[in-house]
Amino acid sequence: MTGDHQTLALLLFSVFIAVTLAITTWVSRRRRGSTEEFYAGGRLFSPMENGFAIAGDYMSAASFLGISGLIALFGYDGLLYSVGFLVAWLIVLFLVAELVRNCGRFTLADVVAARMRERPVRLAAGAASVTVSVLYLVAQMVGAGSLVALLVGGAGQQARTWMVIGVGALMVVYVAFGGMRATTWIQVVKAVLLMGGAVALTVLVLVRFHGDINELLNTAAERSGHGRDFLAPGLKYGGDWTSRLDFISLGIALVLGTAGLPHILSRFYTVPTARSARRSVVWSIGLIGGFYLMTIVLGFGAAAVLGSDAVRASNTAGNTAVPLLALDLGGGAGSTGGTVLFAVVAAVAFATILAVVAGIALASSASVAHDLYASLRRPRDTAQDAQRAEVAVARIAAVAVGAVAIGLALLAQDLNVAFLVGLAFAVAASGNLPVLLFTLFWRRFTTRGAVWSVYGGLIPAITLVVLSPVVSGSPESLFPGLDFAVFPLDNPGVVSIPLGFLMGWLGTVLSPAAADEARHAETEVRALTGAGAA
């Protein structure tokens, strides 16, 4: 990119960073240092504010950069991500939001521990939540690396590496100093910016094709290099039985994974009541649904305006399709309009990454401190001292989780960010969702069943990813020079998710101790009525 692009985009980056750091500083001066303030923002957010924050948390780099890129490269098959990400919210709305708000305080483990022995289920659920969060963080940081590579004209691996490290450092600052309150307001600002940018680009694409959707699709098919096959299912997932099964696996993971994402579940604790949690989800569904409709236009628009080959030449995974589309729609390389529009879109994408990684890091640090650390430490301190120690551990955990995510992101920089998020969704649906649903709806569920459910879904999901073509055995793998891929699918969801449910059932059936009927009844009343909820 030209010097003008770099200067303007970096200036907009700097403005957003300055604004968000100002929010963090303002919040840090007002915080009380309690766990409720750090993890849940004092439960003071309205449904609309929390709905915007949920949308900001969910509409990640995978949505803005990854999905549009996949549609630009694979046409119809790329739509699976848009559909799966949106349909998943029906499960959240009808099965999870209110019940989780009533049963828990800060994390998923709170819900399970309400009727189980605390230490084993907190250790298991905490480990699963941290694993999912790290995978999700990797996707966002890969998006950051792709963005800066485009901005500096592909100036080398070093620039991408420093961008990933910089995003990780900012994430730690937001979480450590601002907690949930600062993270929420950053996500609200980001959601407004992202929706505005997506609307502007969508309008420009439709204007380019005179509002004729048919012309847009036909042009995209012509310039894709695949003809009419671009608009039909099967281009990416329609080859042999393996790719078709991979399609099913990915679809299951996307639809079920959202209800198990730690950073989404933690947002339900930031509102005062279960009714507010449900209304938050309604707000977020409206925003997210509108956004994913626009990603479809942007994906086909990139194929029609740029051509699939040009998108692939810039980034083999398609992660830079939207910024390139903005550059062309604004007037092309070297034009003032192209420079401005490209810089704005790049800054919005960067804001998206920063906001999402802050939310994920907060959720993962909460799991480490509230579930793992609090379960292992001896209760010698007063309640106030214990809260201070827990918040301090959460801040340290944010640094550690960020460091691990940075290291993995540097290995995965050539993978599509939406694909990486699909892996995180599969692990969330395998390790977190079964234990959550069993806890809420199965009277006989026991502590052994809960532990077996978490590990029985989490360990197979991670193992199958390691043994899949994602890690080795193909030129697109993390380690292309090695080949130990014995599992043929890229996404493990079709195997690991049923295993999570099966192991939860098996552990309960084989448990020597029966379920605590009184605690289940208490949890059921609390979940359905909110009586006794924090």
Side-chain angles (χ1 to χ4, degrees), residues 113-343:
R115 51 173 294 206
M116 310 291 178
R117 286 191 292 118
E118 285 210 24
R119 177 169 287 191
V121 298
R122 283 195 182 278
L123 291 175
S129 295
V130 171
T131 302
V132 173
S133 297
V134 168
L135 287 173
Y136 212 108
L137 282 171
V138 169
Q140 309 309 313
M141 293 180 178
V142 167
S146 299
L147 194 63
V148 77
L150 177 63
L151 177 65
V152 299
Q157 191 74 17
Q158 187 175 7
R160 297 173 70 177
T161 299
W162 281 111
M163 173 59 90
V164 170
I165 294 172
V167 169
L170 284 169
M171 167 191 76
V172 171
V173 171
Y174 294 147
V175 174
F177 292 97
M180 178 59 82
R181 194 184 293 272
T183 300
T184 297
W185 284 114
I186 291 168
Q187 287 160 348
V188 170
V189 172
K190 168 255 174 159
V192 173
L193 290 174
L194 185 59
M195 289 298 291
V199 168
L201 286 181
T202 301
V203 169
L204 289 173
V205 169
L206 294 177
V207 168
R208 174 71 66 92
F209 293 93
H210 313 290
D212 190 339
I213 300 295
N214 192 49
E215 181 185 354
L216 167 63
L217 296 177
N218 287 334
T219 306
E222 291 171 8
R223 301 203 62 190
S224 69
H226 299 286
R228 303 300 296 181
D229 291 342
F230 190 71
L231 304 179
L235 191 59
K236 180 174 175 61
Y237 297 107
D240 53 14
W241 69 269
T242 303
S243 61
R244 295 178 184 180
L245 189 58
D246 215 1
F247 177 88
I248 296 172
S249 184
L250 177 62
I252 294 172
L254 295 181
V255 170
L256 298 180
T258 299
L261 292 177
H263 65 290
I264 297 298
L265 294 175
S266 66
R267 292 237 54 92
F268 300 134
Y269 302 126
T270 64
V271 289
T273 64
R275 182 170 180 265
S276 298
R278 184 182 69 248
R279 291 174 61 197
S280 297
V281 174
V282 173
W283 270 100
S284 62
I285 287 176
L287 293 167
I288 293 167
F291 175 76
Y292 283 129
L293 287 175
M294 289 186 284
T295 62
I296 297 172
V297 176
L298 297 180
F300 283 112
V305 173
L306 305 170
S308 297
D309 290 340
V311 172
R312 191 176 287 107
S314 173
N315 183 277
T316 55
N319 293 329
T320 57
V322 171
L324 287 175
L325 176 63
L327 180 62
D328 192 286
L329 292 174
S335 67
T336 301
T339 299
V340 171
L341 194 57
F342 169 83

Side-chain angles (χ1 to χ4, degrees), residues 515-532:
D516 190 326
E517 293 286 340
R519 292 184 70 179
H520 169 73
E522 180 183 344
T523 302
E524 186 175 38
V525 171
R526 178 172 166 180
L528 295 175
T529 67

Side-chain angles (χ1 to χ4, degrees), residues 58-72:
Y58 195 71
M59 296 184 301
S60 64
S63 303
F64 194 48
L65 301 177
I67 294 177
S68 299
L70 284 173
I71 294 173

